[in-house]
Amino acid sequence: MRVFSGIQPTSQLHIGNYLGVIKPWIDLQSANNECLFWVADLHALTVPYKPIELKKRTSEVVAAYLTAGLDPKKSIIFRQSDIKEHTELCWLLSTITPLGDLQRMTQFKDKSAKHAKNINAGLLNYPVLMAADILLYQTDLVPVGEDQKQHVELAKTLGKKFNNKFGEIFNLPKAVIPKSGARIMSLTEPNKKMSKSDTPTSYIALFDSPEEIKKKISSATTDSGKEVKFDIKNKAGVSNLLTIYSLFSEQPISEIEKQFKNKGYKEFKESLAELLIKKLKPFRELEAKPEYIDDILKQGAEKAQVIATETIQKVKKSMGLI
Ligand code: ADP
Ligand code: TRP
């Protein structure tokens, strides 16, 4: 299977990104798939950003990929903007994309509300660029978090529409959403998804210090009860912490519940903070060597380019451009 996914270098990665996508990527890489994991820097331009920070963030994302276990010998690791065919295919696909479909996208509505002063056309066309990313590489599987499912479905719809109109060019992708971890919730508002665009107390960044981790976990919102028990409806905060505990410790939730039976939230939270401090140590100690990362991106781009060129030639031929 060809597996394809990326993350935007918008700001620090958090444990939601790690548990929802990066960790499942490692499993897919180990299962002998043909993997492309890359950095969506063109998508990151759709919300306000500082140009001098973009390259640094891109390097940080790649460094986090490597620390988490992505292996450039097994997976193609590259930067979106190095392959110009992404934007070329985006334009070609936009000519068959109904405007209404883009206006209906949940993320477009959310981000427009959040950045009311910067509702640019790129934000609306974001899912078309994402469809171009996916279809360009003849992707089978797209492992993403729950919030990106709608975009992957649009990519499939556009691929199908293109194939019906111009001939069988694209392989049709499928989203892969993890059973657990696809939606890690905010620490402060456990009914909202953990997001790096919210206040830092609501998420644990991969590079947070032990003190920050302790502080954030101890002040994470829980209910007024005492029992460490998984119950999304009545105990959203505790259930979210249990999910995080379970995924990092690789223990089933039922076992963790047993371990903290009659022990209360304080002890549970202290133990979770210790676990996170231990598991995130490699990220904290990470030393991003810029030349090494540039080299990986260069080699990745060379491999990605071969696939991109082949697809775009077929697309342009089928559309009457060549
Ligand atoms: P954010 O919403 O924090 O800005 P991104 O939109 O850059 O994160 O998401 C990068 C990837 O991480 C996507 O595949 C997304 O589905 C996944 N993801 C983001 N937040 C979470 C979360 N809270 N739980 C699980 N996966 C997440
Ligand atoms: N939109 C994705 C996110 O917010 C990033 C992304 C862009 C992506 N293009 C993609 C993910 C193609 C998977 C496949 O995280």
Side-chain angles (χ1 to χ4, degrees):
M1 291 280 193
R2 185 171 284 162
V3 180
F4 180 89
S5 193
I7 294 183
Q8 302 178 73
T10 33
S11 62
Q12 285 205 352
L13 295 177
H14 54 72
I15 56 170
N17 303 130
Y18 176 72
L19 297 174
V21 281
I22 303 178
K23 197 165 174 270
W25 291 357
I26 311 298
D27 298 334
L28 285 160
Q29 176 187 258
S30 315
N32 269 337
N33 292 293
E34 189 188 350
C35 298
L36 295 103
F37 297 120
W38 51 283
V39 187
D41 58 346
L42 295 175
H43 279 101
L45 310 183
T46 56
V47 291
Y49 74 101
K50 293 197 183 84
I52 49 161
E53 279 183 7
L54 190 65
K55 193 161 182 285
K56 187 173 151 256
R57 295 258 177 249
T58 299
S59 297
E60 268 175 21
V61 171
V62 176
Y65 285 0
L66 299 174
T67 309
L70 288 191
D71 178 353
K73 287 198 201 77
K74 292 186 186 153
S75 295
I76 301 179
I77 299 173
F78 70 102
R79 172 174 38 206
Q80 185 183 27
S81 63
D82 282 337
I83 310 290
K84 64 179 176 13
E85 284 77 4
H86 289 246
T87 41
E88 192 174 3
L89 184 57
C90 176
W91 171 256
L92 301 175
L93 288 177
S94 75
T95 62
I96 62 157
T97 309
L99 180 60
D101 284 8
L102 299 179
Q103 286 165 330
R104 268 193 295 279
M105 290 284 133
T106 308
Q107 183 181 281
F108 173 65
K109 289 194 261 178
D110 288 353
K111 287 198 178 170
S112 308
K114 211 172 212 164
H115 305 283
K117 290 206 184 102
N118 184 20
I119 308 178
N120 56 80
L123 204 54
L124 179 74
N125 287 325
Y126 182 113
V128 187
L129 179 58
M130 185 157 161
D133 301 333
I134 297 169
L135 297 173
L136 188 58
Y137 294 91
Q138 306 290 358
T139 302
D140 295 304
L141 304 177
V142 188
V144 280
E146 184 69 45
D147 63 322
Q148 295 299 316
K149 195 174 170 203
Q150 196 182 33
H151 290 161
V152 181
E153 273 160 13
L154 180 75
K156 187 175 174 186
T157 306
L158 292 180
K160 213 187 249 173
K161 188 168 176 188
F162 188 100
N163 286 352
N164 286 337
K165 234 174 144 85
F166 300 108
E168 288 296 314
I169 303 293
F170 293 124
N171 189 40
L172 300 181
K174 189 170 163 265
V176 188
I177 316 286
K179 278 194 201 77
S180 180
R183 210 173 147 76
I184 297 296
M185 308 311 273
S186 152
L187 297 179
T188 46
E189 294 170 83
N191 293 312
K192 256 177 68 182
K193 157 185 123 80
M194 181 177 284
S195 174
K196 58 193 167 206
S197 45
D198 285 338
T199 152
T201 48
S202 70
Y203 63 81
I204 306 268
L206 296 185
F207 305 103
D208 271 351
S209 68
E211 293 69 38
E212 282 167 315
I213 295 175
K214 277 187 199 157
K215 217 158 127 196
K216 289 181 187 180
I217 293 293
S218 77
S219 55
T221 305
T222 42
D223 53 275
S224 55
K226 282 196 191 112
E227 210 185 346
V228 180
K229 198 171 176 332
F230 192 86
D231 176 354
I232 295 262
K233 220 167 143 209
N234 303 308
K235 294 164 96 63
V238 174
S239 302
N240 187 41
L241 297 182
L242 270 167
T243 303
I244 297 171
Y245 202 116
S246 161
L247 289 167
F248 272 106
S249 66
E250 298 188 353
Q251 273 176 284
I253 287 181
S254 57
E255 226 162 86
I256 305 162
E257 285 173 339
K258 243 188 253 160
Q259 194 182 326
F260 292 96
K261 203 165 186 255
N262 305 324
K263 287 200 175 142
Y265 295 162
K266 188 162 175 281
E267 203 164 316
F268 170 60
K269 282 178 162 182
E270 280 169 3
S271 174
L272 175 59
E274 286 311 317
L275 175 67
L276 288 172
I277 290 168
K278 192 169 130 213
K279 293 284 177 178
L280 298 180
K281 189 164 179 249
F283 293 99
R284 281 196 303 279
E285 292 180 350
L286 180 79
E287 217 190 302
K289 297 186 195 86
E291 298 92 58
Y292 177 58
I293 289 179
D294 285 350
D295 198 41
I296 286 176
L297 289 176
K298 192 164 162 261
Q299 289 184 29
E302 279 167 17
K303 293 181 198 153
Q305 186 65 63
V306 176
I307 310 173
T309 305
E310 195 184 318
T311 307
I312 206 81
Q313 291 294 328
K314 284 190 198 157
V315 169
K316 288 172 83 172
K317 212 166 163 190
S318 73
M319 292 182 91
L321 291 163
I322 302 180

PDB file of all heavy atoms in Angstrom, residues 45 88 92 132 136 174 185 218 247 312 320-321:
ATOM      1  N   LEU A  45       0.552  28.584   4.907  1.00  0.00           N
ATOM      2  CA  LEU A  45       0.492  29.998   4.524  1.00  0.00           C
ATOM      3  C   LEU A  45      -0.925  30.573   4.606  1.00  0.00           C
ATOM      4  O   LEU A  45      -1.107  31.771   4.458  1.00  0.00           O
ATOM      5  CB  LEU A  45       0.997  30.188   3.085  1.00  0.00           C
ATOM      6  CG  LEU A  45       2.340  29.558   2.700  1.00  0.00           C
ATOM      7  CD1 LEU A  45       2.693  29.916   1.262  1.00  0.00           C
ATOM      8  CD2 LEU A  45       3.446  30.037   3.629  1.00  0.00           C
ATOM      9  N   GLU A  88       0.467  22.938  -9.183  1.00  0.00           N
ATOM     10  CA  GLU A  88      -0.018  22.784 -10.561  1.00  0.00           C
ATOM     11  C   GLU A  88      -1.295  21.934 -10.584  1.00  0.00           C
ATOM     12  O   GLU A  88      -2.309  22.304 -11.169  1.00  0.00           O
ATOM     13  CB  GLU A  88       1.094  22.134 -11.391  1.00  0.00           C
ATOM     14  CG  GLU A  88       0.825  22.182 -12.881  1.00  0.00           C
ATOM     15  CD  GLU A  88       2.022  21.665 -13.689  1.00  0.00           C
ATOM     16  OE1 GLU A  88       3.022  21.217 -13.094  1.00  0.00           O
ATOM     17  OE2 GLU A  88       1.927  21.719 -14.934  1.00  0.00           O
ATOM     18  N   LEU A  92      -5.453  22.598 -11.569  1.00  0.00           N
ATOM     19  CA  LEU A  92      -6.214  21.750 -12.508  1.00  0.00           C
ATOM     20  C   LEU A  92      -7.446  21.156 -11.821  1.00  0.00           C
ATOM     21  O   LEU A  92      -8.543  21.151 -12.380  1.00  0.00           O
ATOM     22  CB  LEU A  92      -5.307  20.647 -13.082  1.00  0.00           C
ATOM     23  CG  LEU A  92      -4.061  21.164 -13.840  1.00  0.00           C
ATOM     24  CD1 LEU A  92      -3.169  20.012 -14.259  1.00  0.00           C
ATOM     25  CD2 LEU A  92      -4.472  21.989 -15.063  1.00  0.00           C
ATOM     26  N   ALA A 132      -4.925  17.600  -4.196  1.00  0.00           N
ATOM     27  CA  ALA A 132      -3.811  17.516  -5.152  1.00  0.00           C
ATOM     28  C   ALA A 132      -2.640  16.745  -4.537  1.00  0.00           C
ATOM     29  O   ALA A 132      -2.055  15.865  -5.169  1.00  0.00           O
ATOM     30  CB  ALA A 132      -3.368  18.918  -5.565  1.00  0.00           C
ATOM     31  N   LEU A 136      -1.770  13.255  -6.381  1.00  0.00           N
ATOM     32  CA  LEU A 136      -0.502  13.329  -7.117  1.00  0.00           C
ATOM     33  C   LEU A 136       0.360  12.080  -6.901  1.00  0.00           C
ATOM     34  O   LEU A 136       1.090  11.655  -7.778  1.00  0.00           O
ATOM     35  CB  LEU A 136       0.262  14.579  -6.654  1.00  0.00           C
ATOM     36  CG  LEU A 136       1.525  14.993  -7.389  1.00  0.00           C
ATOM     37  CD1 LEU A 136       1.268  15.250  -8.868  1.00  0.00           C
ATOM     38  CD2 LEU A 136       2.118  16.263  -6.748  1.00  0.00           C
ATOM     39  N   LYS A 174      -8.082   6.329   0.702  1.00  0.00           N
ATOM     40  CA  LYS A 174      -8.966   6.028   1.826  1.00  0.00           C
ATOM     41  C   LYS A 174      -8.333   6.626   3.089  1.00  0.00           C
ATOM     42  O   LYS A 174      -7.121   6.474   3.304  1.00  0.00           O
ATOM     43  CB  LYS A 174      -9.042   4.504   1.949  1.00  0.00           C
ATOM     44  CG  LYS A 174     -10.066   4.006   2.911  1.00  0.00           C
ATOM     45  CD  LYS A 174     -10.210   2.484   2.755  1.00  0.00           C
ATOM     46  CE  LYS A 174     -10.900   1.903   3.939  1.00  0.00           C
ATOM     47  NZ  LYS A 174     -10.066   1.383   4.973  1.00  0.00           N
ATOM     48  N   MET A 185      -8.432  15.367  23.431  1.00  0.00           N
ATOM     49  CA  MET A 185      -9.169  16.586  23.750  1.00  0.00           C
ATOM     50  C   MET A 185      -8.299  17.600  24.498  1.00  0.00           C
ATOM     51  O   MET A 185      -7.249  17.256  25.056  1.00  0.00           O
ATOM     52  CB  MET A 185     -10.416  16.243  24.582  1.00  0.00           C
ATOM     53  CG  MET A 185     -11.289  15.161  23.958  1.00  0.00           C
ATOM     54  SD  MET A 185     -11.673  15.444  22.232  1.00  0.00           S
ATOM     55  CE  MET A 185     -13.129  16.454  22.415  1.00  0.00           C
ATOM     56  N   SER A 218      -1.533  18.774  36.208  1.00  0.00           N
ATOM     57  CA  SER A 218      -2.184  18.930  37.517  1.00  0.00           C
ATOM     58  C   SER A 218      -3.359  19.910  37.433  1.00  0.00           C
ATOM     59  O   SER A 218      -4.332  19.776  38.170  1.00  0.00           O
ATOM     60  CB  SER A 218      -1.186  19.339  38.598  1.00  0.00           C
ATOM     61  OG  SER A 218      -0.897  20.703  38.469  1.00  0.00           O
ATOM     62  N   LEU A 247      -2.436   5.238  25.715  1.00  0.00           N
ATOM     63  CA  LEU A 247      -1.663   5.223  24.472  1.00  0.00           C
ATOM     64  C   LEU A 247      -0.164   5.354  24.728  1.00  0.00           C
ATOM     65  O   LEU A 247       0.642   4.705  24.067  1.00  0.00           O
ATOM     66  CB  LEU A 247      -2.149   6.333  23.535  1.00  0.00           C
ATOM     67  CG  LEU A 247      -3.534   6.070  22.940  1.00  0.00           C
ATOM     68  CD1 LEU A 247      -4.091   7.327  22.285  1.00  0.00           C
ATOM     69  CD2 LEU A 247      -3.486   4.947  21.911  1.00  0.00           C
ATOM     70  N   ILE A 312       1.603  13.978 -13.138  1.00  0.00           N
ATOM     71  CA  ILE A 312       1.187  15.244 -13.771  1.00  0.00           C
ATOM     72  C   ILE A 312       1.223  15.125 -15.298  1.00  0.00           C
ATOM     73  O   ILE A 312       0.377  15.701 -15.989  1.00  0.00           O
ATOM     74  CB  ILE A 312       2.019  16.451 -13.254  1.00  0.00           C
ATOM     75  CG1 ILE A 312       1.223  17.756 -13.374  1.00  0.00           C
ATOM     76  CG2 ILE A 312       3.320  16.615 -13.962  1.00  0.00           C
ATOM     77  CD1 ILE A 312       0.247  18.011 -12.304  1.00  0.00           C
ATOM     78  N   GLY A 320      -5.920  17.409 -22.235  1.00  0.00           N
ATOM     79  CA  GLY A 320      -5.704  18.083 -23.519  1.00  0.00           C
ATOM     80  C   GLY A 320      -4.635  19.156 -23.466  1.00  0.00           C
ATOM     81  O   GLY A 320      -4.556  20.004 -24.353  1.00  0.00           O
ATOM     82  N   LEU A 321      -3.811  19.146 -22.433  1.00  0.00           N
ATOM     83  CA  LEU A 321      -2.773  20.182 -22.318  1.00  0.00           C
ATOM     84  C   LEU A 321      -1.473  19.777 -23.002  1.00  0.00           C
ATOM     85  O   LEU A 321      -0.651  20.623 -23.333  1.00  0.00           O
ATOM     86  CB  LEU A 321      -2.505  20.495 -20.838  1.00  0.00           C
ATOM     87  CG  LEU A 321      -3.650  21.210 -20.121  1.00  0.00           C
ATOM     88  CD1 LEU A 321      -3.487  21.103 -18.617  1.00  0.00           C
ATOM     89  CD2 LEU A 321      -3.718  22.673 -20.530  1.00  0.00           C
TER      90      LEU A 321
END
